């Protein structure tokens, strides 16, 4: 089966089993390695990307669900090949330790700020709840969200 | 009889009717407590009151989203209009700080506020009237200890004639069955405690018992299952009730999960969160009573899998890619999300797609802070049409029920509510 999916503004024809997760298509066929495989159960958020304006777990999103829909990954947030606003906030706050969760975190922040440009601390905590960091850098991540909102 | 005499009799009858109506409707204002005259309450009494407040879901209804605890403002949509829960913190201006124990007891038992106005039965005084004196005192004592918060709840949005509180006097004549629950001597103490809790403070029937045209619980269909807030509260007794045994139900009520019944989702997730904070003995008593309403010795429910439905072959890819990793574990082992085979729970067996569609759209997120069943929300990942197909797919494959009607509308409704709540 072939599915036509728009990823970061470019159309890709994905060949594969229709139940294949978007995450595998991104990483193995399109070559975008930002989104990571974490739990495969929608519990950790490492695979988070944005589909039609909403943050989703790409490990639980089969490609057959995506015909004609628009996907944005962390690579899509680059500005002229340089880190985008949310990326830069994470760099400035040194919010990554091992970094495995960060691509997913960034997409969750992007989703949050698109819906609420000036979130309160409480709204940041609620909005980021779906994404976990096993290194425990949540405090720095929250500062990065606040910084990105100010920028 | 002269016209004069007929006139006099008519006037006398009219006056009598006015007096009767007045006696039915009018309730005196009770004296406000003196400021600063708060007696000391015992530690044990406050602790019991706290447990009763959890059992009664008091905080859940009386707290607005992101609002201060017990300070009111949460809307409750009813078929008659929207009612806002009031502030029950000890604030003297906007809360119940001026309420004496007598005023509190009258509200709990008769549905009348301190000033003498009739309350609406969205506040479940028809159940609370069964609570005994000691427990009402304990609840009062606990509510005096929560921080006083100044917050005026919004006015109810009830159209005429439902905005006339005095009408509730007539409603109470018909439907308020005041008085304690009589113990059944041939049953155990635990069973009787459970029944006392279920019919009183936990007001299970408020969600699980169908209501009549006037909004009163139908006593003939007690706990027979009903729609509430866009969900369906499954039957706990009577036709269609699934057999529960006591350990299954005790686990489900305190942790939100039973391997044989699945996870508590929707409004029940909030109830379980509250029940997780009370002593196991209370939860076990509830489980004892409710399990006794069905045949708790019936054999385990057989799993159903009718195979991939022919007309939904394309939807099978969605099932495999989005659902099967949790709900169809190859070796049958439990996974970290507590996914169970879908034929286990009630959601696919009911007459309407409410619980199935809403769970797919919104997931299960009530237990995230303490472990327990978890399901990601698929509203957003999947389109309305895909969720509709998936809902029909699981119904056809994992239940023996006929295809549901109105799935698309239910999905659209759930998605629009999710979008409203997504403005973080």
């Amino acid at each position: 089966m072939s599915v036509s999916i728009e990823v970061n503004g470019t159309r890709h024809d994905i060949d594969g089993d229709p139940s294949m997760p978007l995450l595998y298509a991104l990483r193995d066929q399109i070559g975008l390695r930002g989104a990571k495989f974490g739990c495969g159960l929608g519990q950790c958020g490492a695979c988070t990307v944005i589909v039609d304006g909403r943050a989703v777990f790409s490990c639980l999103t089969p490609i057959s669900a995506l015909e004609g829909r628009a996907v944005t990954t962390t690579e899509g947030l680059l500005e002229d090949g340089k880190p985008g606003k949310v990326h830069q906030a994470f760099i400035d706050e040194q919010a990554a330790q091992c970094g495995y969760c960060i691509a997913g975190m960034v997409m969750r922040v992007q989703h949050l700020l698109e819906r609420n440009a000036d979130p309160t601390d409480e709204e940041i905590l609620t909005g980021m709840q779906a994404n976990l960091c096993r290194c425990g850098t949540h405090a720095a991540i929250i500062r990065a969200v606040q910084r990105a909102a100010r920028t | 009889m002269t016209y004069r005499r007929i006139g006099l009799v008519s006037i006398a009858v009219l006056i009598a009717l006015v007096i009767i109506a007045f006696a039915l409707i009018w309730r005196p204002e009770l004296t406000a407590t003196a400021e600063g005259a708060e007696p000391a309450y015992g530690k044990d009494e406050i602790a019991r009151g706290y447990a009763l407040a959890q059992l009664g879901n008091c905080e859940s209804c009386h707290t607005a989203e992101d609002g201060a605890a017990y300070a009111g403002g949460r809307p409750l949509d009813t078929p008659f209009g929207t009612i806002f829960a009031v502030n029950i913190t000890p604030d003297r201006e906007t809360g119940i700080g001026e309420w004496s124990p007598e005023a509190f007891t009258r509200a709990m038992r008769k549905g009348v506020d301190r000033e003498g106005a009739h309350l609406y039965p969205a506040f479940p005084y028809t159940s609370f009237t069964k609570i005994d004196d000691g427990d009402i005192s304990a609840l009062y004592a606990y509510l005096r200890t929560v921080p006083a918060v100044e917050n005026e709840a919004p006015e109810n949005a009830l159209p005429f004639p439902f905005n006339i509180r005095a009408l509730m006097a007539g409603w109470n004549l018909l439907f308020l069955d005041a008085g304690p629950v009589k113990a059944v001597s041939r049953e155990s103490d635990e069973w009787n405690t459970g029944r006392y809790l279920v019919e009183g403070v936990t007001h299970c029937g408020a969600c699980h018992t169908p209501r009549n045209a006037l909004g009163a619980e139908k006593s003939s269909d007690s706990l027979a299952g009903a729609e509430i807030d866009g969900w369906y509260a499954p039957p706990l007794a009577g036709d269609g009730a699934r057999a529960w045994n006591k350990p299954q139900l005790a686990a489900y009520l305190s942790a939100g999960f039973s391997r044989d019944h699945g996870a508590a989702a929707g409004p029940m997730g909030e109830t379980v969160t509250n029940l997780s904070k009370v002593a196991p003995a209370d939860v076990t008593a509830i489980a004892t009573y409710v399990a006794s309403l069905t045949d708790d010795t019936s054999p385990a429910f057989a799993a159903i899998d009718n195979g991939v439905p022919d007309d939904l072959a394309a939807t099978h890819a969605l099932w495999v890619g989005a659902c099967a990793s949790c709900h169809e574990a190859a070796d049958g082992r439990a996974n970290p999300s507590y996914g169970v085979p879908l034929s286990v729970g009630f959601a696919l067996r009911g007459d309407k797609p409410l619980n199935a569609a809403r769970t797919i759209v919104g997931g299960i997120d009530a237990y995230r802070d303490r472990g327990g069943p978890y399901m990601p929300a698929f509203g957003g990942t999947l389109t309305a049409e895909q969720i509709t197909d998936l809902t029909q797919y699981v119904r056809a494959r994992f239940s023996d029920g006929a295809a549901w009607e109105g799935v698309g509308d239910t999905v659209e409704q759930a998605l629009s509510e999710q979008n409203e709540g997504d403005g973080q």
Side-chain angles (χ1 to χ4, degrees), chain B residues 73-85 120 122 154-159:
Chain B
R74 176 166 169 170
L76 185 79
D77 292 324
T78 75
F80 309 99
T82 303
I83 293 175
F84 289 88
Y120 291 106
E155 287 286 321
N156 294 333
L158 292 171

Side-chain angles (χ1 to χ4, degrees), chain B residues 349-376:
Chain B
R349 287 181 293 117
D351 292 335
K352 290 190 180 179
L354 302 176
N355 297 6
R358 282 180 177 273
T359 306
I360 297 173
V361 168
I364 298 175
D365 198 34
Y367 314 100
R368 191 179 261 282
D369 293 346
R370 57 207 159 87
Y374 167 73
M375 174 168 153

Side-chain angles (χ1 to χ4, degrees), chain A residues 18-19 21 40-43 51 54-57 59-62 64-66 69 111-112 115-116 122-123 126-127 129-130 132, chain B residues 66 314 316-318 320-322 325-326 335-337 365 368-369 374 376-383 386 418-419 422-424:
Chain A
S19 67
L41 299 169
Q43 286 206 1
V51 175
R54 294 188 72 113
V56 308
F57 302 119
C59 73
L60 292 180
T61 308
S64 63
L66 293 169
R69 299 172 75 193
H111 165 97
L112 173 64
R115 278 156 192 272
N116 180 359
E122 188 68 33
E123 286 166 339
T126 309
Q129 205 181 17
L132 305 180
Chain B
D66 299 325
H316 183 61
L318 297 180
V320 174
S325 55
C326 288
N335 62 54
S337 301
D365 198 34
R368 191 179 261 282
D369 293 346
Y374 167 73
F378 286 91
T381 302
L382 304 177
T383 63
Q386 289 163 352
Q418 186 186 47
N419 285 327
D422 207 17
Q424 358 153 319

Side-chain angles (χ1 to χ4, degrees), chain A residues 82-140:
Chain A
K82 297 201 172 58
K85 181 177 84 171
V86 177
H87 294 139
Q88 193 58 49
F90 273 71
I91 295 168
D92 291 344
E93 292 295 341
Q94 289 293 289
Q97 184 164 317
C98 84
Y100 199 82
C101 69
I102 293 297
M105 289 282 182
V106 164
M107 297 317 289
R108 183 72 58 184
V109 177
Q110 179 71 20
H111 165 97
L112 173 64
L113 296 182
E114 279 175 8
R115 278 156 192 272
N116 180 359
D118 185 23
T120 63
D121 289 357
E122 188 68 33
E123 286 166 339
I124 292 173
L125 286 178
T126 309
M128 298 301 295
Q129 205 181 17
N131 290 52
L132 305 180
C133 164
R134 297 305 296 267
C135 305
T137 64
H138 296 99

